[in-house]
Amino acid sequence: ERDGGGRLYPGHIRASPLQKALLAAGSALAALRDPYRHDMVAVLGETTGCLVLPNLRDKMRNDPEGSRILQERPRIRLATLDVEGLRRLPEGTLGREYLRFLEDNKVSPDTRMPAKFVDDEELAYVIQRYREVHDLMHTLLGMPTNMLGEVVVKWFEAVQTGLPMCVLGAAFGPIHLNARKLQVLATELIPWAVRSGRNANCVLNIYYEQRWEQPVASLREEIGIFPPP
């Protein structure tokens, strides 16, 4: 439903194709210069994702767990997480390892930007969901938030989602790495991330909030992610 200003959801900003092209170019340059500019990465994802997001939504609609996520619209935020409950879970469970990832890397799910430039309310939720499960991808892939870890996760996500933003991050992220890390990346980590991305079921079709007690190893196996090298 639109409001008086033609907005399709809270925070929605209407932009013409030309404005989106300029936003995409500007945000791509800024994100390449500083890959930690999450705001620019977010704008890039929304202004370039229009061709791919309907495909991701259809994958969710055609999957029982994915379609339930689309209907119920869960959000992963500090307000919706039972942090103490997650802390009491056994070692190796998704919830315990996810919380450990957040604390070790000093990150919060609340820093994920809300969608603004997607001109469809359901597709806006799809990209929001992708952003909010990004840290869970780190947890499942066993990758830290340093540049090497981010590049590996981006390769996995690029194969999984086809989002241009992920493809760009996968292709240009390595320019920030030294020779030793590049070698490990090229010989071990990228081949594993690509194989896992191709083999795995769509990661947006997992209702992670209902899987906190599941061991990470068993969820990896269920999704089709090969164990990290």
Side-chain angles (χ1 to χ4, degrees):
E1 287 300 301
R2 287 168 192 223
D3 65 12
R7 294 189 308 175
L8 300 173
Y9 49 87
H12 176 225
I13 297 171
R14 282 215 169 275
S16 69
L18 176 63
Q19 287 171 317
K20 282 190 179 160
L22 292 171
L23 280 166
S27 58
L29 286 171
L32 287 175
R33 195 173 298 133
D34 179 6
Y36 291 104
R37 281 289 303 273
H38 294 302
D39 54 340
M40 291 293 105
V41 174
V43 170
L44 180 63
E46 290 175 37
T47 50
T48 59
C50 49
L51 302 171
V52 183
L53 287 171
N55 178 30
L56 286 174
R57 178 200 48 206
D58 293 346
K59 281 185 180 174
M60 293 178 78
R61 278 184 179 169
N62 296 327
D63 179 90
E65 206 164 329
S67 66
R68 218 169 81 239
I69 293 167
L70 276 181
Q71 283 164 353
E72 296 176 12
R73 305 278 176 99
R75 296 290 308 274
I76 299 177
R77 313 196 62 69
L78 285 178
T80 61
L81 289 176
D82 172 10
V83 174
E84 286 314 308
L86 295 181
R87 189 167 281 126
R88 286 194 297 271
L89 288 171
E91 298 283 317
T93 53
L94 179 66
R96 185 72 197 84
E97 297 311 316
Y98 173 59
L99 185 64
R100 191 194 312 279
F101 170 83
L102 294 178
E103 290 176 341
D104 285 356
N105 295 284
K106 299 182 175 53
V107 288
S108 158
D110 291 4
T111 57
R112 300 286 159 206
M113 306 272 295
K116 289 203 267 279
F117 297 106
V118 179
D119 296 333
D120 178 288
E121 186 267 340
E122 192 174 40
L123 297 181
Y125 175 74
V126 172
I127 199 157
Q128 189 72 45
R129 182 68 177 172
Y130 156 74
R131 277 178 199 158
E132 290 181 4
V133 303
H134 174 75
D135 289 335
L136 283 152
M137 293 306 99
H138 277 274
T139 308
L140 284 169
L141 295 167
M143 287 294 136
T145 57
N146 61 19
M147 187 50 67
L148 185 67
E150 285 295 347
V151 169
V152 174
V153 173
K154 277 285 172 282
W155 273 91
F156 175 80
E157 291 178 339
V159 174
Q160 266 276 312
T161 66
L163 282 165
M165 154 194 82
C166 298
V167 175
L168 203 69
F172 290 100
I175 60 178
H176 298 276
L177 296 170
N178 64 32
R180 193 174 58 82
K181 285 182 175 161
L182 275 174
Q183 191 189 356
V184 174
L185 191 68
T187 57
E188 289 179 37
L189 295 173
I190 289 176
W192 162 72
V194 170
R195 264 183 36 245
S196 287
R198 281 201 186 125
N199 187 57
N201 302 325
C202 178
V203 291
L204 293 178
N205 287 337
I206 303 290
Y207 210 139
Y208 296 97
E209 297 89 330
Q210 297 178 356
R211 308 291 199 108
W212 293 135
E213 296 176 15
Q214 187 171 348
V216 169
S218 111
L219 185 55
R220 255 187 213 139
E221 202 173 311
E222 183 187 330
I223 296 171
I225 295 171
F226 300 112

